[in-house]
Amino acid sequence: MKIVCIGGGPAGLYFGLLMKQLDPRHDITVVERNKPYDTFGWGVVFSDATMDNMRQWDAVTAAEIQQAFNHWDDIELKFKGRTLRSGGHGFVGIGRKKLLNILQARCEQLGVKLLFETEVESDADFPDADLIIASDGINSKVRNKYAPVFKPDIVTRPNRYIWLGTHRLYDAFTFVFEKTEHGWFQAHIYKFDEHTTTYIVETPEDVWKAHGLDQAGMEDSIAFCEKLFADDLQGHKLMTNARHLRGSAWLNFQRVVCEQWSHFNGRAHVVLMGDAVHTAHFAIGSGTKLAIEDAIELTRQFKELGDSPAQIGQVLERYQSLRRVDVLRLQNAAWNAMEWFEVVGERYADQLPPEQFMYSMLTRSQRISHENLRLRDKAWLEGFERWFAERAGMTLPAHVPAPPPMFTPYTVRGVTLKNRVVVSPMAQYSCVDGLPADYHLVHLGARAMGGAALVMAEMTCPTPDARITPGCPGLWNDAQRDGWKRIVDHVHAGTDAKIGIQLGHAGPKGSTNAPWDGAGADRPLPDGNWPLIAASALPYLDDGQVPREMSRADMERVRDDFVRSTRLAAEAGFDWLELHCAHGYLLSSFISPLTNRRNDDYGGSLAKRLRYPLEVFAAVRAAWPQQLPMSVRISAHDWVEGGITPQDAVEIARAFKAAGADMIDCSSGQVSAQQKPTYGRMYQTPFADRIRNEAGIATIAVGAISEADHVNSIIAAGRADLCAVARPHLANPAWTLTEGAKIGYTPMPWPRQYLSGKSQMETLFAREKAQQAVPAYKEPA
Ligand SMILES: Cc1cc2nc3c(=O)[nH]c(=O)nc-3n(C[C@H](O)[C@H](O)[C@H](O)COP(=O)(O)OP(=O)(O)OC[C@H]3O[C@@H](n4cnc5c(N)ncnc54)[C@H](O)[C@@H]3O)c2cc1C
Ligand SMILES: Cc1cc2nc3c(=O)[nH]c(=O)nc-3n(C[C@H](O)[C@H](O)[C@H](O)COP(=O)(O)O)c2cc1C
């Protein structure tokens, strides 16, 4: 085959040499605009895992790279006058020049033609090629030429960064954070040969501008960075090698994703590779890894399907479908890591103490969990756990190991929860006349025995017409109060769990079936419907019942109904009260602009839309005992264009905080039937994180939190204070006890009646773990 690689970066060179090795008869040329030893950049890093992969494909280059690279294990943080370090992270650093020179030499040795100082205008420059690799980097001309085919999605990120070097040598991947009068700067620092270290300085655009760096030339920018990081640099200079750059030396990262990776141009197949088709932010250090792995995968497909021109189409299809998935996974992790560095100044740096800041930084990509950190550096993690437990108010003798963060206590007002797990409120649709009965005693009682610190009863309604379905519980009369009291007393007498009630009014989503009845959830009852009220006269479903817009008199009545229920809840002895302002129900229908179209003082701006929910909150708070906490559940994202955004959610949280809320329970969606949520593990936790650290109020994370490892990582990183777990508690009332045993947390107290099950479960899990034990796979943090 005749193959041309446009661009002699890691992708083009490595693919060239792998294909030549596969069959020396291939005629392969790599065309590069630069001179052989003229390249941009300092060092690049990749993981031990990438090195293993390279070893399998070309042992010669792998051995040379191995000789030239710097391997190190530690990550060091310099922050607020402290230096913290953790180990076991396994990185490889190599000079970009050195890497390219090794690849160039190997290409020459194998007979790949290298054509330097040649600018390629287009793939049409190579009319007789069978296969053209567009490995021409992030600004790929070939990708741009066929943009309608490749459909690139290019996002320019807000932070500015400058890629510098220094001769100060470091023995860890180092992060330094410095605050100026305008905001935070961070440096990402890693040594890549015996003389040189990469030093990337990054800051948000507004901080960069406030320092006049948009007007500064290269020398002034370097002088600025040298002064800012003088303590760290210890007299060493910063250097540039950005000759190739036009305009500002400060760049914005561009995230590239392409829908289609290859194209037949009428004569040859053209395929994108490396940065031309996808980029990964340097916060995760994997752009070169991706480029190398693209080259490996394409070669593997030629090897498996046949390396002849006739096979190219099929090979390229397989290459795209296999690589896209891996690349997207890594890009997601890189995106999380990148976003962490974009918001670190406003969200974490001022808020978190150094220990927790370090933890948050190490888990920024959300690929590294609590137990993964334990595998990397047990001593560091145990030290962190001790620090965390002591901050949570525990006094631990030196010989007693600290519990994982999930099992630390949490105090709010006069209530101390024994751990961080909440049974999330879950409607059971199993009442008659709103009366909680034996079913609820068993259901909630079992979950209170199951280890969670707080069991929330399902949404409970202040009046019959406030119910979602005829089976929903209520709290408008003494019989219901007494029904609840029986359950509350049982929980208090038989367990050390707390029990909370969620008060809510269904508003526009009322008068519907239980999920298993009639036409299913959210659908009007076949008969016996009651009239609905809402912020505006808008049905939840197009063919649903249309509610009446609430009048001021309605508002006062409903507010007073909430207050009556609150008093009854206090009499029933509940420990916690949550006001339901989420999921499109009555109070939520005021908050979202999608459901509130009012023209009076309760519609319009967010502040006005919040007026009524805040009025209800204030009335409930005043009626609820002062020593008991109140949380507010909100939909932090409507997942619909024009609806509530996570940024609005921060404002909503601030308003409830000012009104006296103790916690925000951060759910999302169910406000509009048009919603398009992005589900995934812990998918709503970013809202809890943002609200907690931007609005400065404690949060409950909820949504697809299904393992102790999730809870530990969320709580430890300060992304939330409590984790609510719903569906896993339907399958397993003793979810918390089970998860504790699974991670080997044996001090976990069990109900005394169940103790003989404890040691058996622990032994079974320990045996299972020992059988599954595999060496830890390390990827860059
Ligand atoms: C600040 C920063 C830090 C980074 N740190 C890391 C890191 O630590 N680890 C990591 O893995 N990655 C890192 N990267 C990313 C890494 O540099 C790229 O992901 C990687 O180089 C991609 O390889 P590539 O071969 O696809 O593209 P490139 O390395 O960009 O190579 C493309 C080549 O094509 C040539 N070319 C382009 N157009 C033409 C043309 N028309 N004619 C002829 N030649 C052309 C260019 O001169 C260039 O040599 C970092 C990037 C930045 C910006
Ligand atoms: C059967 C069921 C009933 C629910 N009822 C309520 C409810 O009454 N009030 C509420 O705020 N959320 C309710 N939810 C939402 C859960 O509290 C939780 O936010 C959601 O299920 C996501 O958590 P999970 O991924 O752990 O299940 C319900 C969820 C389920 C599965």
Side-chain angles (χ1 to χ4, degrees):
M1 283 196 299
K2 191 168 169 55
I3 302 171
V4 176
C5 302
I6 305 176
L13 290 169
Y14 200 56
F15 179 71
L17 73 86
L18 289 185
M19 283 303 284
K20 193 72 183 171
Q21 213 182 27
L22 193 63
D23 188 340
R25 287 171 304 176
H26 292 314
D27 173 356
I28 306 174
T29 308
V30 178
V31 191
E32 167 59 47
R33 62 155 72 108
N34 289 332
K35 294 184 189 137
Y37 299 100
D38 184 17
T39 177
F40 66 90
W42 297 98
V44 294
V45 286
F46 37 80
S47 63
D48 290 353
T50 312
M51 275 312 302
D52 289 343
N53 209 356
M54 290 180 83
R55 238 171 253 125
Q56 285 176 23
W57 282 88
D58 182 33
V60 178
T61 35
E64 282 191 48
I65 291 169
Q66 178 128 16
Q67 274 213 326
F69 67 48
N70 275 261
H71 185 273
W72 70 100
D73 264 341
D74 289 0
I75 290 183
E76 188 166 282
L77 166 68
K78 292 182 182 165
F79 177 61
K80 294 183 179 167
R82 298 269 307 278
T83 300
L84 294 95
R85 185 183 270 244
S86 96
H89 300 286
F91 295 100
V92 177
I94 185 167
R96 179 175 157 94
K97 273 189 192 179
K98 183 75 196 171
L99 173 69
L100 292 186
N101 293 344
I102 290 172
L103 298 179
Q104 287 159 359
R106 180 70 174 144
C107 278
E108 277 169 348
Q109 188 188 35
L110 292 168
V112 175
K113 282 175 260 173
L114 302 180
L115 209 59
F116 290 102
E117 297 180 73
T118 307
E119 177 77 31
V120 176
E121 287 312 320
S122 134
D123 53 314
D125 296 0
F126 310 100
D128 55 347
D130 298 302
L131 176 64
I132 297 173
I133 308 290
S135 47
D136 50 348
I138 185 157
N139 298 316
S140 173
K141 274 188 188 168
V142 178
R143 185 192 65 223
N144 293 345
K145 177 178 168 189
Y146 296 115
V149 177
F150 295 133
K151 297 198 179 72
D153 174 13
I154 303 176
V155 181
T156 301
R157 299 305 302 177
N159 268 15
R160 289 281 176 166
Y161 70 90
I162 184 166
W163 204 0
L164 302 171
T166 177
H167 290 311
R168 162 141 155 63
L169 301 180
Y170 296 74
D171 63 352
F173 199 128
T174 303
F175 295 95
V176 184
F177 289 79
E178 292 292 349
K179 191 175 185 181
T180 70
E181 66 276 28
H182 298 301
W184 286 88
F185 283 77
Q186 58 259 10
H188 309 238
I189 306 163
Y190 49 95
K191 177 176 157 227
F192 62 87
D193 66 25
E194 55 285 23
H195 311 292
T196 339
T197 295
T198 300
Y199 210 103
I200 304 170
V201 177
E202 186 192 10
T203 195
E205 180 102 1
D206 57 331
V207 181
W208 176 73
K209 274 200 180 135
H211 281 283
L213 291 166
D214 52 333
Q215 307 294 327
M218 180 54 95
E219 275 175 25
D220 288 343
S221 292
I222 289 182
F224 175 88
C225 293
E226 280 174 348
K227 195 165 161 220
L228 183 60
F229 292 99
D231 274 357
D232 177 59
L233 285 165
Q234 299 175 354
H236 287 272
K237 296 263 162 227
L238 288 173
M239 312 174 284
T240 173
N241 66 358
R243 269 166 300 140
H244 65 291
L245 293 173
R246 284 178 294 271
S248 172
W250 294 84
L251 304 173
N252 294 88
F253 173 72
Q254 290 190 311
R255 197 285 323 263
V256 177
V257 174
C258 291
E259 208 175 298
Q260 176 66 28
W261 291 29
S262 64
H263 170 60
F264 185 67
N265 71 7
R267 294 178 187 222
H269 290 272
V270 181
V271 60
L272 300 172
M273 188 179 280
D275 272 11
V277 64
H278 48 61
T279 55
H281 190 259
F282 55 84
I284 202 165
S286 295
T288 307
K289 163 198 163 84
L290 286 181
I292 295 279
E293 288 174 355
D294 283 353
I296 290 176
E297 191 54 54
L298 189 53
T299 311
R300 187 201 314 278
Q301 293 311 324
F302 275 118
K303 192 172 172 190
E304 284 178 9
L305 297 174
D307 52 343
S308 69
Q311 295 304 106
I312 298 177
Q314 204 190 342
V315 163
L316 296 185
E317 252 173 52
R318 281 267 292 272
Y319 160 72
Q320 168 173 336
S321 71
L322 287 169
R323 278 304 285 157
R324 263 197 92 177
V325 179
D326 281 353
V327 166
L328 276 178
R329 199 173 294 138
L330 196 121
Q331 280 185 315
N332 280 345
W335 183 273
N336 293 339
M338 170 194 75
E339 274 193 330
W340 191 91
F341 282 109
E342 288 170 359
V343 301
V344 63
E346 59 179 314
R347 196 177 297 170
Y348 306 118
D350 291 317
Q351 291 82 343
L352 302 182
E355 288 80 358
Q356 194 166 36
F357 186 84
M358 173 80 165
Y359 188 103
S360 173
M361 188 182 81
L362 291 176
T363 53
R364 65 188 180 272
S365 73
Q366 283 157 55
R367 277 196 312 182
I368 292 171
S369 68
H370 197 73
E371 291 311 312
N372 198 279
L373 282 175
R374 199 184 305 282
L375 287 175
R376 287 166 189 244
D377 190 343
K378 191 163 182 275
W380 176 81
L381 192 75
E382 285 176 359
F384 172 82
E385 288 182 335
R386 178 163 291 273
W387 173 87
F388 192 91
E390 282 168 0
R391 264 178 71 92
M394 296 180 86
T395 326
L396 295 161
H399 66 280
V400 174
M406 170 173 171
F407 294 106
T408 57
Y410 185 79
T411 300
V412 50
R413 296 200 188 227
V415 172
T416 295
L417 303 179
K418 62 181 169 179
N419 62 46
R420 306 302 182 108
V421 182
V422 178
V423 176
S424 202
M426 279 182 284
Q428 300 296 296
Y429 316 104
S430 300
C431 288
V432 176
D433 294 334
L435 200 64
D438 288 355
Y439 173 83
H440 304 85
L441 179 78
V442 174
H443 170 68
L444 295 169
R447 277 137 195 92
M449 300 276 281
L454 174 64
V455 178
M456 290 299 297
E458 65 196 273
M459 176 171 130
T460 301
C461 310
T463 48
D465 68 344
R467 290 175 298 171
I468 309 169
T469 73
C472 288
L475 200 38
W476 60 80
N477 62 34
D478 290 355
Q480 290 157 347
R481 178 203 56 202
D482 295 345
W484 283 119
K485 186 167 185 316
R486 178 170 163 247
I487 297 166
V488 170
D489 288 348
H490 171 76
V491 168
H492 287 162
T495 80
D496 54 1
K498 304 290 179 195
I499 179 161
I501 187 153
Q502 185 189 53
L503 290 184
H505 188 305
K509 294 174 82 176
S511 191
T512 59
N513 294 301
W516 51 79
D517 275 341
D522 296 329
R523 300 267 158 202
L525 294 167
D527 46 58
N529 280 288
W530 57 83
L532 302 181
I533 50 170
S536 297
L538 297 168
Y540 177 62
L541 299 178
D542 287 345
D543 56 352
Q545 194 189 153
V546 180
R548 174 167 59 79
E549 177 176 304
M550 279 176 88
S551 65
R552 181 61 210 164
D554 291 327
M555 290 186 202
E556 285 168 17
R557 177 180 56 80
V558 169
R559 180 200 61 206
D560 295 347
D561 292 339
F562 268 104
V563 169
R564 182 183 54 222
S565 294
T566 303
R567 295 215 174 92
L568 292 169
E571 286 167 21
F574 281 105
D575 303 297
W576 191 291
L577 191 148
E578 178 162 284
L579 188 64
H580 200 336
C581 296
H583 302 169
Y585 296 121
L586 186 79
L587 297 177
S588 161
S589 80
F590 275 85
I591 299 175
S592 172
L594 302 174
T595 45
N596 182 339
R597 302 279 166 77
R598 299 176 73 99
N599 296 317
D600 61 3
D601 283 349
Y602 300 92
S605 66
L606 178 59
K608 286 186 170 177
R609 298 195 311 268
L610 275 167
R611 272 186 75 185
Y612 183 60
L614 287 170
E615 184 181 324
V616 173
F617 177 87
V620 169
R621 182 62 269 184
W624 185 238
Q626 272 311 298
Q627 75 280 10
L628 299 181
M630 260 191 81
S631 54
V632 177
R633 178 166 270 209
I634 63 167
S635 284
H637 197 333
D638 283 348
W639 304 107
V640 176
E641 189 79 34
I644 290 293
T645 64
Q647 194 172 342
D648 296 327
V650 174
E651 291 311 316
I652 296 168
R654 285 198 176 112
F656 280 109
K657 178 188 175 192
D662 299 299
M663 282 200 145
I664 304 295
D665 186 352
C666 304
S667 186
S668 75
Q670 299 171 54
V671 169
S672 159
Q674 314 306 320
Q675 66 172 9
K676 291 205 167 58
T678 311
Y679 294 117
R681 143 188 95 97
M682 301 181 276
Y683 72 105
Q684 293 173 149
T685 299
F687 313 139
D689 180 9
R690 183 163 181 185
I691 288 171
R692 180 180 193 270
N693 293 305
E694 287 188 20
I697 180 165
T699 56
I700 305 175
V702 63
I705 297 170
S706 56
E707 312 171 359
D709 212 18
H710 296 162
V711 178
N712 278 323
S713 311
I714 292 169
I715 301 299
R719 305 180 77 212
D721 300 273
L722 301 175
C723 289
V725 175
R727 288 164 299 172
H729 274 117
L730 291 180
N732 181 3
W735 182 83
T736 307
L737 299 182
T738 310
E739 286 298 308
K742 224 182 251 176
I743 60 168
Y745 179 59
T746 53
M748 171 87 199
W750 277 46
R752 60 188 172 192
Q753 299 89 334
Y754 293 178
L755 269 177
S756 40
K758 178 173 189 279
S759 56
Q760 189 204 32
M761 183 183 262
E762 286 165 357
T763 310
L764 290 175
F765 278 133
R767 199 176 295 155
E768 210 172 277
K769 210 168 175 180
Q771 279 165 359
Q772 287 170 354
V774 282
Y777 168 61
K778 288 180 197 157
E779 292 187 75

